[in-house]
mmCIF file of all heavy atoms in Angstrom:
data_model
loop_
_atom_site.group_PDB
_atom_site.id
_atom_site.type_symbol
_atom_site.label_atom_id
_atom_site.label_comp_id
_atom_site.label_asym_id
_atom_site.label_seq_id
_atom_site.Cartn_x
_atom_site.Cartn_y
_atom_site.Cartn_z
ATOM 1 N N THR A 496 -88.618 -52.153 -65.839
ATOM 2 C CA THR A 496 -88.573 -53.471 -66.568
ATOM 3 C C THR A 496 -88.127 -53.311 -68.002
ATOM 4 O O THR A 496 -87.252 -54.046 -68.504
ATOM 5 C CB THR A 496 -89.954 -54.133 -66.465
ATOM 6 O OG1 THR A 496 -90.398 -54.185 -65.137
ATOM 7 C CG2 THR A 496 -89.859 -55.567 -67.013
ATOM 8 N N LEU A 497 -88.608 -52.348 -68.690
ATOM 9 C CA LEU A 497 -88.255 -52.127 -70.087
ATOM 10 C C LEU A 497 -86.760 -51.741 -70.170
ATOM 11 O O LEU A 497 -86.092 -52.231 -71.101
ATOM 12 C CB LEU A 497 -89.177 -51.015 -70.686
ATOM 13 C CG LEU A 497 -88.861 -50.703 -72.180
ATOM 14 C CD1 LEU A 497 -89.151 -51.978 -72.998
ATOM 15 C CD2 LEU A 497 -89.758 -49.592 -72.636
ATOM 16 N N VAL A 498 -86.316 -50.955 -69.254
ATOM 17 C CA VAL A 498 -84.886 -50.541 -69.315
ATOM 18 C C VAL A 498 -83.984 -51.761 -69.143
ATOM 19 O O VAL A 498 -83.043 -52.002 -69.740
ATOM 20 C CB VAL A 498 -84.648 -49.480 -68.200
ATOM 21 C CG1 VAL A 498 -83.091 -49.244 -68.037
ATOM 22 C CG2 VAL A 498 -85.324 -48.187 -68.541
ATOM 23 N N ALA A 499 -84.445 -52.614 -68.133
ATOM 24 C CA ALA A 499 -83.649 -53.881 -67.876
ATOM 25 C C ALA A 499 -83.719 -54.723 -69.146
ATOM 26 O O ALA A 499 -82.715 -55.396 -69.531
ATOM 27 C CB ALA A 499 -84.204 -54.573 -66.694
ATOM 28 N N THR A 500 -84.884 -54.867 -69.774
ATOM 29 C CA THR A 500 -84.961 -55.666 -70.978
ATOM 30 C C THR A 500 -84.022 -55.157 -72.054
ATOM 31 O O THR A 500 -83.338 -55.937 -72.712
ATOM 32 C CB THR A 500 -86.425 -55.616 -71.492
ATOM 33 O OG1 THR A 500 -87.311 -56.055 -70.398
ATOM 34 C CG2 THR A 500 -86.621 -56.588 -72.674
ATOM 35 N N ALA A 501 -83.979 -53.904 -72.221
ATOM 36 C CA ALA A 501 -83.095 -53.287 -73.243
ATOM 37 C C ALA A 501 -81.613 -53.554 -72.851
ATOM 38 O O ALA A 501 -80.816 -53.825 -73.782
ATOM 39 C CB ALA A 501 -83.306 -51.784 -73.322
ATOM 40 N N ALA A 502 -81.275 -53.529 -71.601
ATOM 41 C CA ALA A 502 -79.909 -53.826 -71.183
ATOM 42 C C ALA A 502 -79.554 -55.250 -71.632
ATOM 43 O O ALA A 502 -78.517 -55.535 -72.109
ATOM 44 C CB ALA A 502 -79.773 -53.653 -69.683
ATOM 45 N N LEU A 503 -80.499 -56.178 -71.376
ATOM 46 C CA LEU A 503 -80.237 -57.580 -71.695
ATOM 47 C C LEU A 503 -80.135 -57.700 -73.199
ATOM 48 O O LEU A 503 -79.194 -58.393 -73.750
ATOM 49 C CB LEU A 503 -81.375 -58.472 -71.202
ATOM 50 C CG LEU A 503 -81.436 -58.676 -69.734
ATOM 51 C CD1 LEU A 503 -82.761 -59.193 -69.261
ATOM 52 C CD2 LEU A 503 -80.356 -59.607 -69.209
ATOM 53 N N ALA A 504 -81.007 -56.977 -73.945
ATOM 54 C CA ALA A 504 -80.938 -57.088 -75.402
ATOM 55 C C ALA A 504 -79.631 -56.618 -75.937
ATOM 56 O O ALA A 504 -79.152 -57.080 -76.973
ATOM 57 C CB ALA A 504 -82.140 -56.199 -76.027
ATOM 58 N N ALA A 505 -79.054 -55.642 -75.249
ATOM 59 C CA ALA A 505 -77.771 -55.072 -75.790
ATOM 60 C C ALA A 505 -76.631 -56.119 -75.843
ATOM 61 O O ALA A 505 -75.896 -56.104 -76.768
ATOM 62 C CB ALA A 505 -77.324 -53.875 -74.894
ATOM 63 N N VAL A 506 -76.578 -56.998 -74.874
ATOM 64 C CA VAL A 506 -75.550 -58.045 -74.895
ATOM 65 C C VAL A 506 -75.935 -59.181 -75.837
ATOM 66 O O VAL A 506 -75.100 -59.782 -76.477
ATOM 67 C CB VAL A 506 -75.165 -58.543 -73.476
ATOM 68 C CG1 VAL A 506 -74.557 -57.417 -72.621
ATOM 69 C CG2 VAL A 506 -76.224 -59.272 -72.812
ATOM 70 N N VAL A 507 -77.237 -59.452 -75.862
ATOM 71 C CA VAL A 507 -77.734 -60.525 -76.734
ATOM 72 C C VAL A 507 -77.359 -60.210 -78.200
ATOM 73 O O VAL A 507 -76.917 -60.985 -78.932
ATOM 74 C CB VAL A 507 -79.218 -60.782 -76.547
ATOM 75 C CG1 VAL A 507 -79.778 -61.655 -77.662
ATOM 76 C CG2 VAL A 507 -79.477 -61.333 -75.209
ATOM 77 N N ASP A 508 -77.508 -58.869 -78.472
ATOM 78 C CA ASP A 508 -77.230 -58.393 -79.816
ATOM 79 C C ASP A 508 -75.794 -58.656 -80.233
ATOM 80 O O ASP A 508 -75.411 -58.796 -81.428
ATOM 81 C CB ASP A 508 -77.504 -56.865 -79.827
ATOM 82 C CG ASP A 508 -77.907 -56.398 -81.271
ATOM 83 O OD1 ASP A 508 -78.145 -57.304 -82.162
ATOM 84 O OD2 ASP A 508 -77.939 -55.227 -81.525
ATOM 85 N N ASP A 509 -74.917 -58.827 -79.236
ATOM 86 C CA ASP A 509 -73.492 -59.029 -79.504
ATOM 87 C C ASP A 509 -73.129 -60.540 -79.328
ATOM 88 O O ASP A 509 -71.991 -60.895 -79.268
ATOM 89 C CB ASP A 509 -72.650 -58.182 -78.487
ATOM 90 C CG ASP A 509 -71.228 -58.106 -78.924
ATOM 91 O OD1 ASP A 509 -70.935 -58.147 -80.154
ATOM 92 O OD2 ASP A 509 -70.313 -57.943 -78.081
ATOM 93 N N GLY A 510 -74.207 -61.356 -79.315
ATOM 94 C CA GLY A 510 -74.002 -62.769 -79.223
ATOM 95 C C GLY A 510 -73.709 -63.315 -77.841
ATOM 96 O O GLY A 510 -73.237 -64.459 -77.634
ATOM 97 N N PHE A 511 -73.966 -62.563 -76.789
ATOM 98 C CA PHE A 511 -73.851 -63.017 -75.456
ATOM 99 C C PHE A 511 -75.149 -63.332 -74.810
ATOM 100 O O PHE A 511 -76.210 -63.075 -75.409
ATOM 101 C CB PHE A 511 -73.088 -61.896 -74.621
ATOM 102 C CG PHE A 511 -71.580 -61.890 -74.875
ATOM 103 C CD1 PHE A 511 -71.062 -61.362 -76.076
ATOM 104 C CD2 PHE A 511 -70.755 -62.420 -73.932
ATOM 105 C CE1 PHE A 511 -69.727 -61.414 -76.333
ATOM 106 C CE2 PHE A 511 -69.332 -62.430 -74.160
ATOM 107 C CZ PHE A 511 -68.905 -61.967 -75.358
ATOM 108 N N GLN A 512 -75.073 -63.890 -73.578
ATOM 109 C CA GLN A 512 -76.334 -64.260 -72.940
ATOM 110 C C GLN A 512 -76.669 -63.372 -71.704
ATOM 111 O O GLN A 512 -75.681 -62.707 -71.215
ATOM 112 C CB GLN A 512 -76.193 -65.736 -72.438
ATOM 113 C CG GLN A 512 -76.041 -66.780 -73.475
ATOM 114 C CD GLN A 512 -75.545 -68.101 -72.954
ATOM 115 O OE1 GLN A 512 -74.482 -68.133 -72.307
ATOM 116 N NE2 GLN A 512 -76.330 -69.103 -73.114
ATOM 117 N N GLY A 513 -77.808 -63.340 -71.308
ATOM 118 C CA GLY A 513 -78.305 -62.546 -70.166
ATOM 119 C C GLY A 513 -79.050 -63.412 -69.168
ATOM 120 O O GLY A 513 -79.692 -64.387 -69.583
ATOM 121 N N ALA A 514 -78.901 -63.072 -67.902
ATOM 122 C CA ALA A 514 -79.713 -63.739 -66.873
ATOM 123 C C ALA A 514 -80.395 -62.718 -66.036
ATOM 124 O O ALA A 514 -79.879 -61.678 -65.732
ATOM 125 C CB ALA A 514 -78.750 -64.583 -65.948
ATOM 126 N N LEU A 515 -81.719 -63.017 -65.751
ATOM 127 C CA LEU A 515 -82.464 -62.063 -64.952
ATOM 128 C C LEU A 515 -82.969 -62.928 -63.751
ATOM 129 O O LEU A 515 -83.618 -63.887 -63.838
ATOM 130 C CB LEU A 515 -83.769 -61.616 -65.745
ATOM 131 C CG LEU A 515 -84.827 -60.854 -64.969
ATOM 132 C CD1 LEU A 515 -84.270 -59.579 -64.296
ATOM 133 C CD2 LEU A 515 -85.996 -60.449 -65.933
ATOM 134 N N MET A 516 -82.464 -62.485 -62.554
ATOM 135 C CA MET A 516 -82.779 -63.196 -61.292
ATOM 136 C C MET A 516 -83.779 -62.367 -60.533
ATOM 137 O O MET A 516 -83.627 -61.229 -60.231
ATOM 138 C CB MET A 516 -81.550 -63.449 -60.517
ATOM 139 C CG MET A 516 -81.837 -64.310 -59.336
ATOM 140 S SD MET A 516 -80.362 -65.080 -58.617
ATOM 141 C CE MET A 516 -80.019 -63.962 -57.264
ATOM 142 N N VAL A 517 -84.884 -62.986 -60.160
ATOM 143 C CA VAL A 517 -85.966 -62.384 -59.409
ATOM 144 C C VAL A 517 -86.244 -63.229 -58.112
ATOM 145 O O VAL A 517 -85.949 -64.406 -58.095
ATOM 146 C CB VAL A 517 -87.307 -62.304 -60.231
ATOM 147 C CG1 VAL A 517 -87.014 -61.421 -61.487
ATOM 148 C CG2 VAL A 517 -87.731 -63.646 -60.638
ATOM 149 N N PRO A 518 -86.959 -62.603 -57.148
ATOM 150 C CA PRO A 518 -87.076 -63.298 -55.907
ATOM 151 C C PRO A 518 -88.236 -64.356 -55.782
ATOM 152 O O PRO A 518 -88.166 -65.226 -54.909
ATOM 153 C CB PRO A 518 -87.330 -62.185 -54.821
ATOM 154 C CG PRO A 518 -87.870 -61.075 -55.664
ATOM 155 C CD PRO A 518 -87.323 -61.182 -57.053
ATOM 156 N N THR A 519 -89.226 -64.262 -56.663
ATOM 157 C CA THR A 519 -90.304 -65.235 -56.564
ATOM 158 C C THR A 519 -90.592 -65.896 -57.903
ATOM 159 O O THR A 519 -90.320 -65.347 -58.943
ATOM 160 C CB THR A 519 -91.596 -64.562 -56.049
ATOM 161 O OG1 THR A 519 -92.044 -63.650 -57.073
ATOM 162 C CG2 THR A 519 -91.395 -63.770 -54.731
ATOM 163 N N GLU A 520 -91.285 -67.009 -57.792
ATOM 164 C CA GLU A 520 -91.653 -67.803 -58.947
ATOM 165 C C GLU A 520 -92.671 -66.971 -59.804
ATOM 166 O O GLU A 520 -92.531 -66.963 -61.051
ATOM 167 C CB GLU A 520 -92.316 -69.115 -58.525
ATOM 168 C CG GLU A 520 -91.480 -69.949 -57.557
ATOM 169 C CD GLU A 520 -90.585 -70.896 -58.250
ATOM 170 O OE1 GLU A 520 -90.792 -71.189 -59.403
ATOM 171 O OE2 GLU A 520 -89.675 -71.453 -57.602
ATOM 172 N N ILE A 521 -93.562 -66.368 -59.127
ATOM 173 C CA ILE A 521 -94.575 -65.642 -59.841
ATOM 174 C C ILE A 521 -93.929 -64.540 -60.662
ATOM 175 O O ILE A 521 -94.284 -64.308 -61.852
ATOM 176 C CB ILE A 521 -95.568 -65.010 -58.856
ATOM 177 C CG1 ILE A 521 -96.546 -66.034 -58.304
ATOM 178 C CG2 ILE A 521 -96.405 -63.852 -59.527
ATOM 179 C CD1 ILE A 521 -97.859 -65.505 -57.847
ATOM 180 N N LEU A 522 -93.024 -63.832 -60.022
ATOM 181 C CA LEU A 522 -92.315 -62.724 -60.738
ATOM 182 C C LEU A 522 -91.547 -63.288 -61.912
ATOM 183 O O LEU A 522 -91.499 -62.637 -62.965
ATOM 184 C CB LEU A 522 -91.438 -62.043 -59.766
ATOM 185 C CG LEU A 522 -91.166 -60.549 -60.023
ATOM 186 C CD1 LEU A 522 -92.434 -59.781 -60.349
ATOM 187 C CD2 LEU A 522 -90.434 -59.937 -58.838
ATOM 188 N N ALA A 523 -90.910 -64.480 -61.679
ATOM 189 C CA ALA A 523 -90.061 -65.055 -62.767
ATOM 190 C C ALA A 523 -91.018 -65.329 -63.967
ATOM 191 O O ALA A 523 -90.686 -65.026 -65.107
ATOM 192 C CB ALA A 523 -89.483 -66.342 -62.300
ATOM 193 N N GLU A 524 -92.240 -65.929 -63.672
ATOM 194 C CA GLU A 524 -93.177 -66.216 -64.774
ATOM 195 C C GLU A 524 -93.644 -64.999 -65.501
ATOM 196 O O GLU A 524 -93.750 -64.960 -66.677
ATOM 197 C CB GLU A 524 -94.244 -67.092 -64.234
ATOM 198 C CG GLU A 524 -93.783 -68.552 -63.886
ATOM 199 C CD GLU A 524 -94.644 -69.190 -62.843
ATOM 200 O OE1 GLU A 524 -95.826 -68.801 -62.639
ATOM 201 O OE2 GLU A 524 -94.125 -70.171 -62.249
ATOM 202 N N GLN A 525 -93.911 -63.993 -64.642
ATOM 203 C CA GLN A 525 -94.364 -62.755 -65.261
ATOM 204 C C GLN A 525 -93.291 -62.061 -66.151
ATOM 205 O O GLN A 525 -93.515 -61.620 -67.233
ATOM 206 C CB GLN A 525 -94.842 -61.788 -64.232
ATOM 207 C CG GLN A 525 -95.173 -60.460 -64.942
ATOM 208 C CD GLN A 525 -95.895 -59.534 -64.021
ATOM 209 O OE1 GLN A 525 -96.847 -59.890 -63.302
ATOM 210 N NE2 GLN A 525 -95.421 -58.301 -64.004
ATOM 211 N N HIS A 526 -92.099 -62.000 -65.654
ATOM 212 C CA HIS A 526 -90.980 -61.484 -66.420
ATOM 213 C C HIS A 526 -90.752 -62.234 -67.717
ATOM 214 O O HIS A 526 -90.463 -61.625 -68.729
ATOM 215 C CB HIS A 526 -89.663 -61.369 -65.613
ATOM 216 C CG HIS A 526 -89.609 -60.167 -64.780
ATOM 217 N ND1 HIS A 526 -89.572 -58.897 -65.393
ATOM 218 C CD2 HIS A 526 -89.505 -59.930 -63.495
ATOM 219 C CE1 HIS A 526 -89.449 -57.950 -64.430
ATOM 220 N NE2 HIS A 526 -89.395 -58.577 -63.281
ATOM 221 N N LEU A 527 -90.878 -63.574 -67.624
ATOM 222 C CA LEU A 527 -90.718 -64.370 -68.820
ATOM 223 C C LEU A 527 -91.734 -63.948 -69.822
ATOM 224 O O LEU A 527 -91.417 -63.701 -70.994
ATOM 225 C CB LEU A 527 -90.966 -65.842 -68.454
ATOM 226 C CG LEU A 527 -90.912 -66.791 -69.638
ATOM 227 C CD1 LEU A 527 -89.470 -67.073 -70.054
ATOM 228 C CD2 LEU A 527 -91.651 -68.162 -69.383
ATOM 229 N N ALA A 528 -92.992 -63.772 -69.419
ATOM 230 C CA ALA A 528 -94.052 -63.369 -70.316
ATOM 231 C C ALA A 528 -93.781 -62.012 -70.898
ATOM 232 O O ALA A 528 -93.918 -61.800 -72.139
ATOM 233 C CB ALA A 528 -95.386 -63.299 -69.621
ATOM 234 N N SER A 529 -93.296 -61.062 -70.121
ATOM 235 C CA SER A 529 -93.047 -59.696 -70.646
ATOM 236 C C SER A 529 -91.836 -59.650 -71.557
ATOM 237 O O SER A 529 -91.830 -58.947 -72.524
ATOM 238 C CB SER A 529 -93.015 -58.681 -69.464
ATOM 239 O OG SER A 529 -91.727 -58.317 -69.160
ATOM 240 N N LEU A 530 -90.792 -60.434 -71.218
ATOM 241 C CA LEU A 530 -89.631 -60.504 -72.089
ATOM 242 C C LEU A 530 -90.011 -61.128 -73.442
ATOM 243 O O LEU A 530 -89.562 -60.677 -74.512
ATOM 244 C CB LEU A 530 -88.487 -61.354 -71.419
ATOM 245 C CG LEU A 530 -87.688 -60.575 -70.393
ATOM 246 C CD1 LEU A 530 -86.833 -61.551 -69.579
ATOM 247 C CD2 LEU A 530 -86.762 -59.553 -70.991
ATOM 248 N N ARG A 531 -90.819 -62.158 -73.396
ATOM 249 C CA ARG A 531 -91.229 -62.832 -74.617
ATOM 250 C C ARG A 531 -92.123 -61.903 -75.438
ATOM 251 O O ARG A 531 -91.999 -61.929 -76.692
ATOM 252 C CB ARG A 531 -91.937 -64.190 -74.356
ATOM 253 C CG ARG A 531 -90.913 -65.219 -73.962
ATOM 254 C CD ARG A 531 -91.534 -66.626 -73.907
ATOM 255 N NE ARG A 531 -90.522 -67.641 -73.714
ATOM 256 C CZ ARG A 531 -90.674 -68.872 -73.278
ATOM 257 N NH1 ARG A 531 -91.929 -69.186 -72.948
ATOM 258 N NH2 ARG A 531 -89.702 -69.706 -73.238
ATOM 259 N N ARG A 532 -92.965 -61.149 -74.746
ATOM 260 C CA ARG A 532 -93.724 -60.187 -75.474
ATOM 261 C C ARG A 532 -92.870 -59.140 -76.128
ATOM 262 O O ARG A 532 -93.083 -58.794 -77.315
ATOM 263 C CB ARG A 532 -94.753 -59.541 -74.498
ATOM 264 C CG ARG A 532 -95.778 -58.554 -75.168
ATOM 265 C CD ARG A 532 -96.469 -57.695 -74.125
ATOM 266 N NE ARG A 532 -95.477 -56.873 -73.479
ATOM 267 C CZ ARG A 532 -95.500 -56.477 -72.141
ATOM 268 N NH1 ARG A 532 -96.540 -56.916 -71.366
ATOM 269 N NH2 ARG A 532 -94.664 -55.672 -71.607
ATOM 270 N N ASP A 533 -91.915 -58.536 -75.396
ATOM 271 C CA ASP A 533 -91.104 -57.483 -75.918
ATOM 272 C C ASP A 533 -90.150 -57.898 -76.919
ATOM 273 O O ASP A 533 -89.745 -57.188 -77.825
ATOM 274 C CB ASP A 533 -90.425 -56.813 -74.719
ATOM 275 C CG ASP A 533 -91.385 -55.904 -73.959
ATOM 276 O OD1 ASP A 533 -92.387 -55.506 -74.524
ATOM 277 O OD2 ASP A 533 -91.045 -55.500 -72.776
ATOM 278 N N LEU A 534 -89.584 -59.136 -76.776
ATOM 279 C CA LEU A 534 -88.508 -59.572 -77.661
ATOM 280 C C LEU A 534 -88.999 -60.588 -78.693
ATOM 281 O O LEU A 534 -88.208 -60.942 -79.621
ATOM 282 C CB LEU A 534 -87.328 -60.150 -76.889
ATOM 283 C CG LEU A 534 -86.579 -59.094 -75.944
ATOM 284 C CD1 LEU A 534 -85.622 -59.876 -74.979
ATOM 285 C CD2 LEU A 534 -85.813 -58.151 -76.804
ATOM 286 N N GLY A 535 -90.167 -61.080 -78.448
ATOM 287 C CA GLY A 535 -90.693 -62.180 -79.358
ATOM 288 C C GLY A 535 -90.696 -61.714 -80.800
ATOM 289 O O GLY A 535 -91.134 -60.563 -81.100
ATOM 290 N N GLY A 536 -90.277 -62.572 -81.675
ATOM 291 C CA GLY A 536 -90.343 -62.235 -83.109
ATOM 292 C C GLY A 536 -89.062 -61.321 -83.555
ATOM 293 O O GLY A 536 -88.864 -61.143 -84.722
ATOM 294 N N LEU A 537 -88.354 -60.824 -82.580
ATOM 295 C CA LEU A 537 -87.219 -60.068 -82.953
ATOM 296 C C LEU A 537 -85.992 -61.030 -83.209
ATOM 297 O O LEU A 537 -85.919 -62.135 -82.545
ATOM 298 C CB LEU A 537 -86.776 -59.087 -81.872
ATOM 299 C CG LEU A 537 -87.770 -57.970 -81.545
ATOM 300 C CD1 LEU A 537 -87.211 -57.025 -80.562
ATOM 301 C CD2 LEU A 537 -88.159 -57.224 -82.909
ATOM 302 N N THR A 538 -85.099 -60.740 -84.120
ATOM 303 C CA THR A 538 -84.044 -61.681 -84.420
ATOM 304 C C THR A 538 -82.723 -61.137 -83.975
ATOM 305 O O THR A 538 -82.627 -59.906 -83.772
ATOM 306 C CB THR A 538 -83.923 -61.953 -85.924
ATOM 307 O OG1 THR A 538 -83.847 -60.642 -86.642
ATOM 308 C CG2 THR A 538 -85.218 -62.713 -86.399
ATOM 309 N N ARG A 539 -81.796 -61.982 -83.789
ATOM 310 C CA ARG A 539 -80.414 -61.549 -83.466
ATOM 311 C C ARG A 539 -79.471 -62.199 -84.486
ATOM 312 O O ARG A 539 -79.831 -63.282 -85.011
ATOM 313 C CB ARG A 539 -80.043 -61.827 -82.075
ATOM 314 C CG ARG A 539 -79.800 -63.293 -81.731
ATOM 315 C CD ARG A 539 -78.990 -63.393 -80.498
ATOM 316 N NE ARG A 539 -78.586 -64.764 -80.106
ATOM 317 C CZ ARG A 539 -77.562 -65.388 -80.644
ATOM 318 N NH1 ARG A 539 -76.754 -64.812 -81.577
ATOM 319 N NH2 ARG A 539 -77.250 -66.606 -80.242
#
Side-chain angles (χ1 to χ4, degrees):
T496 309
L497 182 60
V498 171
T500 305
L503 290 164
V506 300
V507 168
D508 208 12
D509 197 28
F511 281 74
Q512 295 165 301
L515 170 58
M516 186 162 99
V517 299
T519 66
E520 308 268 345
I521 285 206
L522 206 49
E524 287 155 22
Q525 177 172 309
H526 272 300
L527 177 78
S529 99
L530 282 166
R531 284 190 169 158
R532 182 195 64 212
D533 283 340
L534 295 169
L537 296 183
T538 54
R539 72 161 184 83

